[in-house]
């Protein structure tokens, strides 16, 4: 992922925020025919210091299912169009349109998981995170054969990133007045995605104090 220095960060707290916001990722691998294979997947993310483990599962018929070895994962954050008309210096600086966004690219190793107990643990973790998000309480019933027989239709994975690249393209390369004006314009937009992006722009301009 092309990341100019103005937009690069190594602070893994931003990866935590990206995953907390939307743990629905794009997983890319290379197939045996040399062509790329891509799947969009919900995942469970865990981090302990620099150590990251991401778990999920494929449908067994998916050609990518069971892939072991190198993989690339894209984590998507808020994004929105930025009009040059929002910049106070639009005329003097000859400003043009752009797109602001936050994202991360993770490169690492995939390990397929097929053990029944491990798959059930993965499904428990995935449902716990997402049920909490919608106010639900569904859980996998390990004693219900109608549910557990579906395990035969999936293959799990663990992904351990060895390289993390985080990109926050949030107008940091612009004068302060331009940044503030873009935030104001996004916040008055009717699009929820624009409001979300405005908050990220505020956060990157005002990082929390140490220990805060």
């Amino acid at each position: 992922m092309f990341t100019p220095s103005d937009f690069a960060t190594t602070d893994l707290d931003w990866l935590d925020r990206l995953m907390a916001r939307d743990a629905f990722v794009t997983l890319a691998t290379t197939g045996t025919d040399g062509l790329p294979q891509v799947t969009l997947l919900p995942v469970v993310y865990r981090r302990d210091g620099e150590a990251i483990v991401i778990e999920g599962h494929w449908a067994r018929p998916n050609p990518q299912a069971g892939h072991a070895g190198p993989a690339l994962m894209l984590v998507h954050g808020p994004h929105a169009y930025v009009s040059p008309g929002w910049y106070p210096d639009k005329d003097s600086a000859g400003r043009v349109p752009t797109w602001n966004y936050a994202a991360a690219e993770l490169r690492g190793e995939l390990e397929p998981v097929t053990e029944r107990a491990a798959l059930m643990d993965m499904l428990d973790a995935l449902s716990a995170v997402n049920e909490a998000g919608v106010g639900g309480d569904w859980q996998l019933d390990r004693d219900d054969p109608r549910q557990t027989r579906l395990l035969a239709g999936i293959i799990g994975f663990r992904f351990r990133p060895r390289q993390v690249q985080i990109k926050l393209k949030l107008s940091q390369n612009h004068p302060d007045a331009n940044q503030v004006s873009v935030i104001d314009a996004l916040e008055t937009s009717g699009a929820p995605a624009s409001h979300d992006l405005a908050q990220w722009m505020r956060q990157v301009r005002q990082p929390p104090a140490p220990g805060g």
Side-chain angles (χ1 to χ4, degrees):
M1 179 168 59
F2 173 60
T3 307
S5 58
D6 283 338
F7 308 136
T9 179
T10 58
D11 184 350
L12 291 177
D13 284 350
W14 287 103
L15 180 60
D16 297 344
R17 295 183 192 189
L18 283 165
M19 282 294 195
R21 175 188 178 274
D22 189 3
F24 189 68
V25 304
T26 300
L27 180 63
T29 58
T30 302
T32 55
D33 57 3
L35 297 176
Q37 295 177 323
V38 177
T39 306
L40 278 70
L41 296 155
V43 295
V44 173
Y45 166 81
R46 300 184 181 90
R47 180 170 74 87
D48 182 6
E50 300 291 314
I52 297 169
V53 177
I54 299 170
E55 295 180 335
H57 63 271
W58 299 278
R60 188 173 286 273
N62 185 333
Q64 192 183 63
H67 178 91
L72 181 150
M73 183 177 287
L74 298 177
V75 185
H76 310 281
H79 63 92
Y81 174 77
V82 176
S83 169
W86 297 344
Y87 300 129
D89 65 354
K90 59 183 178 295
D91 295 325
S92 60
R95 298 298 184 184
V96 295
T98 192
W99 206 277
N100 275 9
Y101 60 92
E105 176 188 290
L106 284 57
R107 295 176 183 265
E109 302 295 318
L110 273 175
E111 309 164 13
V113 176
T114 57
E115 298 85 357
R116 184 180 178 86
L119 286 174
M120 288 193 287
D121 288 345
M122 287 183 173
L123 291 175
D124 281 342
L126 188 63
S127 60
V129 169
N130 290 287
E131 284 290 314
V134 298
D137 59 2
W138 183 89
Q139 293 180 317
L140 175 70
D141 185 345
R142 299 187 180 214
D143 297 321
D144 186 343
R146 296 171 302 173
Q147 294 184 19
T148 56
R149 71 184 180 188
L150 299 177
L151 293 172
I154 65 173
I155 296 177
F157 66 81
R158 292 190 185 93
F159 178 65
R160 301 180 190 275
R162 48 181 167 74
Q163 179 184 348
V164 176
Q165 185 179 17
I166 304 169
K167 183 173 183 178
L168 305 174
K169 184 179 179 295
L170 302 175
S171 298
Q172 301 97 311
N173 58 331
H174 275 263
D176 187 73
N178 283 4
Q179 295 180 37
V180 172
S181 182
V182 170
I183 290 170
D184 290 344
L186 290 169
E187 287 183 333
T188 58
S189 165
S194 295
H195 299 172
D196 191 11
L197 182 65
Q199 293 307 307
W200 280 62
M201 288 185 66
R202 287 194 183 280
Q203 290 166 6
V204 83
R205 281 170 49 82
Q206 299 174 341

